[in-house]
């Protein structure tokens, strides 16, 4: 609860002294932690919020991972399960936490023999604490034999709410999809469906906001479909936008579209709803 921005802000408005007991934490961040993704945004906001309420938080890249000595708890991202297993630094008396954004076993279509599944099975029981980003993930961990008492459930904080308004939607309908161009987000399937179902005759414009560098082949396939005669005047890829601009983007869209095949939380859905 100390990481919940709303609780901290509410306490400050009341004049309360919102502090936690002194604690020293280390977050081991994945490679590319400065890139735009839901996991990176969550990590950065959590670390900032913990610092505001009195925790001493240090960060370290997984490339420089030296283990959990010298801190009360060392958090590792689920992207780095293989590096955690391979590191000799984990042998010792340090305590480790796992930030559970998305497990390999939740990836749609993953092959049963994929090495990532074996890594997950070996690494998951080794942690002392688990930081879950949703009730869904907490239930999943419990089903894998993780004691609920060792799980912190901390959903992402939401942006400041705006005053509700009645939004007119004269044609064309402005649809927004927020997600990086990777198979799990289902953007290619959505575009193919729009093309084959005659979207050219419908008053619809679709803006896609997200990174194209994570899976270049998939992103290229999306671009080819979007360039078809049926869609090229309807679909726009805006790439990566500053996170601070997302509120403006949500406010000017008529609808938010999600084609994701799997979301453990779905930050864009929650943010647009707020």
């Amino acid at each position: 609860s100390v990481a919940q921005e709303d609780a901290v802000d509410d306490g400050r408005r009341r004049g309360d002294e919102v502090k936690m007991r002194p604690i020293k934490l280390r977050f081991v961040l994945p490679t590319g932690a400065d890139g735009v993704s839901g996991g990176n945004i969550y990590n950065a906001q959590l670390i900032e919020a913990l610092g505001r309420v009195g925790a001493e938080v240090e960060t370290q890249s997984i490339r420089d991972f030296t283990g959990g000595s010298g801190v009360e708890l060392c958090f590792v991202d689920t992207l780095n399960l293989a590096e955690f297993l391979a590191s000799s630094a984990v042998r010792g008396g340090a305590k480790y936490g796992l930030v559970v954004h998305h497990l390999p076993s939740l990836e749609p279509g993953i092959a049963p023999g994929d090495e990532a599944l074996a890594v997950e099975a070996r690494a998951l029981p080794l942690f002392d604490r688990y930081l879950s980003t949703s009730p869904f993930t907490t239930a999943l961990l419990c089903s894998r034999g993780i004691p609920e008492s060792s799980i912190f459930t901390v959903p992402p904080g939401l942006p400041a709410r705006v005053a509700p308004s009645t939004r007119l939607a004269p044609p064309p309908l402005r649809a927004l999809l927020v997600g990086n161009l990777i198979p799990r987000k289902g953007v290619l399937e959505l575009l193919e469906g729009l093309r084959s179902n005659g979207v050219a005759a419908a008053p619809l414009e679709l803006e896609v906001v997200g990174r194209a560098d994570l899976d270049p082949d998939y992103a290229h396939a999306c671009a080819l479909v979007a360039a078809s005669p049926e869609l090229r005047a309807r679909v726009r890829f805006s790439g990566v936008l500053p996170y601070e601009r997302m509120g403006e983007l949500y406010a000017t869209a008529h609808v938010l579209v999600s084609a994701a095949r799997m979301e453990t939380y779905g930050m864009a859905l929650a943010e647009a709803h707020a």
Side-chain angles (χ1 to χ4, degrees):
S1 64
V2 298
Q4 293 292 335
E5 292 191 14
D6 287 347
V8 174
D9 292 339
D10 287 346
R12 284 178 175 159
R13 280 192 292 270
R14 294 193 305 267
D16 296 348
E17 181 68 17
V18 182
K19 285 287 182 181
M20 61 183 293
R21 69 177 180 83
I23 184 172
K24 190 171 183 179
L25 304 171
R26 178 177 298 140
F27 279 79
V28 181
L29 301 178
T31 302
D34 55 346
V36 176
S37 73
N40 287 342
I41 291 168
Y42 176 95
N43 291 345
Q45 291 183 342
L46 176 65
I47 291 167
E48 180 187 3
L50 285 166
R52 287 204 309 269
V53 295
E56 184 180 342
V57 184
E58 60 183 53
T59 60
Q60 184 180 72
S61 169
I62 187 62
R63 292 171 300 202
D64 306 316
F65 181 49
T66 57
S69 60
V71 295
E72 195 161 333
L73 194 61
C74 178
F75 281 105
V76 177
D77 195 288
T78 41
L79 287 175
N80 299 127
L81 288 176
E83 290 89 342
F84 179 78
L85 271 183
S87 175
S88 60
V90 302
R91 296 176 178 88
K95 291 189 177 297
Y96 292 93
L98 180 65
V99 184
V100 188
H101 290 301
H102 183 76
L103 292 167
S105 57
L106 294 175
E107 190 67 26
I110 191 168
D114 196 298
E115 175 61 19
L117 296 177
V119 169
E120 176 186 322
R122 292 199 305 271
L124 201 58
L126 300 180
F127 292 88
D128 302 284
R129 295 288 184 269
Y130 300 81
L131 180 58
S132 163
T133 59
S134 69
F136 166 84
T137 304
T138 298
L140 177 72
L141 291 172
C142 290
S143 73
R144 302 279 180 87
I146 305 298
E148 190 169 3
S149 59
S150 68
I151 303 172
F152 305 114
T153 305
V154 186
L158 292 174
R161 289 164 176 78
V162 297
S165 62
T166 302
R167 198 173 299 171
L168 300 177
L173 188 72
R174 296 194 303 275
L176 173 67
L177 188 150
V178 178
N180 294 326
L181 299 182
I182 56 176
R184 180 161 49 88
K185 297 298 183 180
V187 180
L188 178 60
E189 293 82 354
L190 173 65
L191 294 174
E192 290 174 335
L194 291 174
R195 179 178 62 178
S196 64
N197 284 290
V199 72
L204 169 70
E205 291 180 353
L206 175 65
E207 180 176 7
V208 181
V209 176
R211 294 169 61 180
D213 61 315
L214 298 175
D215 190 328
D217 290 341
Y218 185 84
H220 181 64
C222 291
L224 286 179
V225 176
S228 64
E230 297 88 350
L231 296 184
R232 61 189 175 204
R234 302 287 186 182
V235 177
R236 179 172 77 258
F237 294 98
S238 297
V240 176
L241 297 178
Y243 186 63
E244 297 73 23
R245 284 195 54 201
M246 293 309 299
E248 166 194 339
L249 205 60
Y250 291 130
T252 55
H254 293 138
V255 294
L256 182 82
V257 177
S258 173
R261 299 168 64 191
M262 172 65 208
E263 294 280 16
T264 51
Y265 180 82
M267 287 178 66
L269 295 170
E271 290 171 354
H273 190 207

